[in-house]
Amino acid sequence: MVSILTFIVMIVVGAVVLGFIAVSAMFLIWWERKVAAHIQTRYGPMRVGWHGALQSVADVIKLLLKENITPEGVDKPVWWLAPFFAVVPSVMVFVCIPFGNLFGIDLIPRDLNIGILYIIALTSVCVLGIFMAGWGSNNKYSLLGGMRSAAQIVSYEVPLIISVVTAAMFAGTLSMQKIVEAQKGMWFVFQPNMALAFLIFVISATAEINRTPFDIPEAESELVAGFHTEYSGMKFAMFFLGEYTNLFIVSALAATLFLGGWQGPFLPPVLWFLIKTYGVITVLMWVRWTLPRVRVDQLMGFAWKVLTPIAFANLAVAGWVLLR
Amino acid sequence: MGPQHPSTHGVLYLEVRLSGETVVDLITHIGYLHRGMEKIAENRTYTQFIPYTDRLDYVASMTNNLGYVLAVEKLMKAEIPERAKYIRVIVAELQRIASHLVGITTFTQDLGAFATPLFYGFREREKILDLFDELCGNRLTYDYMRIGGVQFDLPKGAGGKIRGIVKYMGPKIDDLENLFSSNAIFVARTKGVGVLTKEKALNYSVTGPNLRASGVKWDLRKDEPYLCYDRFNFDIPTGSNGDSWDRYKVRIEEMRQSLRIIEQALDGLPEGDPTVKIGRVIKPAPGEVYMRTEAPRGELGFYIVSDGSAVPYRMKIRSPSFSNLAVLSELVKGAKVADVVCVLGSLDIVVGDTDR
């Protein structure tokens, strides 16, 4: 009896999470286009719905109806599976994202005691999907994009994890929920070396999710569209979904680890969580529509020669602060 | 890369040999836009060919117009009214600003600054386009210059409008410069990238801002003045390293100098009719002529041979983008893939100008 109930709850929670991911991605696509439009002094989508609010719905319908082209000479299994590898790990991450609580129920599918470790492990798997797409496409642009992506994510994973470890050290736990609770008195970001960790986290996260100025796997001016050049219709939409889900995830992590998560006065915790997350997202969008792209060697140099040493030094200082 | 590629500025095919991300060799293939302009010219009367010149370098149609009519006027040994000279200078300099705005902002687009600077540049360019629209009714392929003057006199209130553009454009150029020059990524992407030495630039007959960025102070407006350029005070900005950064800097500075020229030309604008009636069919005396002008991309030359009939016997167009593009493969060897689009963008080529 209990197991059936658990099963039903799992299904419902799963459906809610998937629904949230889809709606969030659609909202983010619209939001990105609006932010871009205002930064670029133009209108952006205006026709479908209020200020183009239904534009994403129209886009989804269009993508569903589009022909699914498979180019000649692709490595079929790799080519077909790539979009799923790009999306599934991102969806799995939602297991331990703490959205706060509503009517006394904690809005987190499962608060794993190794939550942040689990998330980091899964987000690294996303690169596999991108690399598979690059390899399987039988296209030189795609291959370059895939290779770049692999190199980039391996490099930026190091400073990213070090900055996450700094937060985990301050909280004394790996559980996402407990990390949020540890920030009850003061958000981590207001402590000097945690502020630095936050900065390192945001920079490496931008690289991890392939956004400008680190969008070199896509690099539309050099590689046309990089790893997803050959994808069309729903398979392309899957990459897009993965991209915007990842954007949400890294911003949610930034909010959870450094900005006090769902905690805040007056408003319900869920709202606080969403405000912080979408705030970080908006900043990332602002950066995207402002900066040019770095070159691939500059990107690697920045990761290994600048970010990683700073992150390690910061970690050492954090350890000293805690042991003092 | 190409012929259909987001950063080849038109239909240009670059055969790039790579070792990983490093460029080993680059071969430029052109001709995808070839329309046989020079041959067309030999089948049209002198007047009929004017609208075709708009289509050469479609980012700077006015200066193409100008180069051609000046060549025909030189062939005919015709004198044009003073007012026409001043109007032509004003229009040519406005066109230079409009062209450089496109050149610089598409360059930054190639560097991955996704469309934001481009839209700013186009917003500024729009002011000039509006004015050109009033002058001749077109917004891209202007057909304004005439053999013997210009098509119409400036419309009423145009003087004030042009002064307004000059006043508006100054701070906007500063804005544009601030947006890039203080951007660490932009600096890192352009400084020392695609270095074109003085010798190489001269050997490849690179002209215009690209040559000046390599440190050669050569500008036809100063060194071989045409129209009334010798009456104006302006500087020729030059670079020292000849890298992509210098090419960008020279263009920014050139826009400022153009504003200075426009202001002086407005101050000295004489009254009168800006056209001489020359007639529809022109039959210049047999002979040949080469007339070169300083177009936004460099030296634009028209070589015309006349046999005394109403159509040119031969015409050869010396277009700046052609020789500027030729140097590309020299500049990118050993650089990264990303530098190819950077260098190509900084050379500011227009494929319509390369393939005539």
Side-chain angles (χ1 to χ4, degrees), chain B residues 68-316:
Chain B
Y68 174 69
V69 296
L70 280 174
V72 179
E73 281 161 7
K74 193 176 174 186
L75 185 65
M76 295 168 60
K77 298 187 182 67
E79 254 313 305
I80 63 159
E82 282 294 298
R83 187 174 171 82
K85 286 183 187 170
Y86 277 78
I87 293 178
R88 282 178 177 186
V89 166
I90 292 169
V91 166
E93 293 308 314
L94 282 172
Q95 179 71 86
R96 189 181 314 278
I97 295 170
S99 169
H100 281 350
L101 281 174
V102 176
I104 291 168
T105 53
T106 49
F107 169 44
T108 56
Q109 161 108 335
D110 292 340
L111 293 177
F114 201 80
T116 306
L118 189 75
F119 280 108
Y120 287 133
F122 272 66
R123 181 186 62 190
E124 269 58 290
R125 176 175 173 262
E126 196 68 14
K127 299 270 173 208
I128 297 171
L129 257 54
D130 284 343
L131 181 87
F132 284 180
D133 195 358
E134 275 183 46
L135 287 186
C136 62
N138 294 336
R139 294 179 63 83
L140 182 70
T141 51
Y142 320 105
D143 186 25
Y144 183 58
M145 306 291 175
R146 286 290 178 275
I147 299 161
V150 290
Q151 187 183 10
F152 307 111
D153 198 357
L154 292 178
K156 252 195 184 142
K161 221 166 243 176
I162 297 167
R163 277 188 205 281
I165 292 175
V166 172
K167 214 172 155 197
Y168 169 86
M169 208 57 86
K172 292 295 174 188
I173 294 169
D174 297 343
D175 275 0
L176 214 58
E177 198 187 4
N178 287 338
L179 182 61
F180 304 124
S181 299
S182 55
N183 186 322
I185 297 177
F186 182 80
V187 176
R189 281 298 303 275
T190 53
K191 275 219 166 132
V193 173
V195 177
L196 177 63
T197 58
K198 204 184 261 187
E199 292 73 33
K200 207 173 268 178
L202 291 170
N203 284 344
Y204 273 85
S205 65
V206 169
T207 50
N210 297 331
L211 176 69
R212 292 192 280 276
S214 298
V216 183
K217 208 167 186 170
W218 174 254
D219 191 314
L220 290 168
R221 292 174 295 172
K222 270 263 197 256
D223 296 306
E224 222 171 74
Y226 50 96
L227 294 172
C228 47
Y229 276 112
D230 47 351
R231 289 174 217 169
F232 304 130
N233 286 321
F234 60 98
D235 302 325
I236 307 296
T238 51
S240 45
N241 301 321
D243 51 7
S244 304
W245 169 263
D246 277 356
R247 288 193 277 273
Y248 144 80
K249 270 294 212 193
V250 163
R251 285 202 177 86
I252 289 272
E253 197 46 44
E254 266 186 22
M255 292 201 284
R256 297 206 177 103
Q257 298 303 325
S258 291
L259 291 179
R260 276 178 70 189
I261 297 173
I262 296 166
E263 264 188 332
Q264 293 171 47
L266 275 175
D267 291 339
L269 187 66
E271 292 297 321
D273 188 4
T275 24
V276 245
K277 293 278 170 286
I278 283 194
R280 211 161 273 205
V281 179
I282 303 159
K283 288 185 179 171
E288 56 178 46
V289 72
Y290 179 69
M291 176 68 205
R292 52 185 183 176
T293 53
E294 188 69 35
R297 275 164 198 81
E299 178 183 324
L300 171 73
F302 285 87
Y303 172 69
I304 307 173
V305 181
S306 164
D307 59 354
S309 70
V311 296
Y313 177 71
R314 280 286 179 271
M315 181 178 311
K316 169 79 179 78

Side-chain angles (χ1 to χ4, degrees), chain A residues 100-148:
Chain A
N101 50 55
L102 208 59
F103 311 117
I105 304 166
D106 279 345
L107 291 180
I108 177 166
R110 182 59 67 91
D111 183 22
L112 297 177
N113 57 0
I114 51 154
I116 187 68
L117 183 66
Y118 166 83
I119 292 177
I120 294 294
L122 273 173
T123 46
S124 324
V125 179
C126 288
V127 65
L128 196 61
I130 293 176
F131 189 64
M132 282 166 72
W135 180 263
S137 289
N138 189 25
N139 174 329
K140 290 186 183 72
Y141 292 129
S142 304
L143 181 62
L144 268 183
M147 300 286 244
R148 282 176 170 194

Side-chain angles (χ1 to χ4, degrees), chain A residues 5-224:
Chain A
L5 192 68
T6 318
F7 184 70
I8 293 170
V9 169
M10 275 169 70
I11 295 286
V12 170
V13 170
V16 169
V17 167
L18 281 178
F20 176 79
I21 290 171
V23 172
S24 168
M26 276 159 66
F27 168 75
L28 285 180
I29 290 168
W30 175 78
W31 183 237
E32 175 125 274
R33 293 175 71 172
K34 286 317 250 190
V35 169
H38 285 287
I39 289 176
Q40 297 172 345
T41 62
R42 59 191 175 103
Y43 282 117
M46 284 303 269
R47 302 277 165 159
V48 197
W50 180 81
H51 278 252
L54 296 176
Q55 183 65 49
S56 297
V57 180
D59 284 343
V60 168
I61 294 169
K62 182 193 75 178
L63 285 169
L64 279 169
L65 294 175
K66 265 198 168 178
E67 188 187 354
N68 231 330
I69 301 164
T70 309
E72 229 174 281
V74 298
D75 190 336
K76 275 222 174 118
V78 178
W79 155 268
W80 274 92
L81 284 173
F84 298 96
F85 272 85
V87 170
V88 173
S90 320
V91 175
M92 285 165 71
V93 166
F94 275 80
V95 169
C96 22
I97 299 264
F99 280 78
N101 50 55
L102 208 59
F103 311 117
I105 304 166
D106 279 345
L107 291 180
I108 177 166
R110 182 59 67 91
D111 183 22
L112 297 177
N113 57 0
I114 51 154
I116 187 68
L117 183 66
Y118 166 83
I119 292 177
I120 294 294
L122 273 173
T123 46
S124 324
V125 179
C126 288
V127 65
L128 196 61
I130 293 176
F131 189 64
M132 282 166 72
W135 180 263
S137 289
N138 189 25
N139 174 329
K140 290 186 183 72
Y141 292 129
S142 304
L143 181 62
L144 268 183
M147 300 286 244
R148 282 176 170 194
S149 180
Q152 175 176 341
I153 293 186
V154 168
S155 308
Y156 277 86
E157 198 87 322
V158 180
L160 180 102
I161 292 174
I162 301 300
S163 60
V164 169
V165 166
T166 321
M169 268 164 55
F170 266 80
T173 173
L174 293 177
S175 147
M176 294 293 275
Q177 199 72 300
K178 293 210 179 88
I179 291 175
V180 176
E181 277 156 19
Q183 301 177 63
K184 199 157 206 161
M186 181 167 63
W187 298 358
F188 282 165
V189 76
F190 292 126
Q191 300 178 25
N193 60 340
M194 285 303 283
L196 186 59
F198 175 67
L199 201 66
I200 295 169
F201 178 86
V202 172
I203 294 174
S204 352
T206 316
E208 290 266 307
I209 55 174
N210 304 330
R211 284 180 76 83
T212 314
F214 307 113
D215 65 337
I216 63 159
E218 251 184 74
E220 90 295 327
S221 62
E222 299 148 29
L223 303 181
V224 186

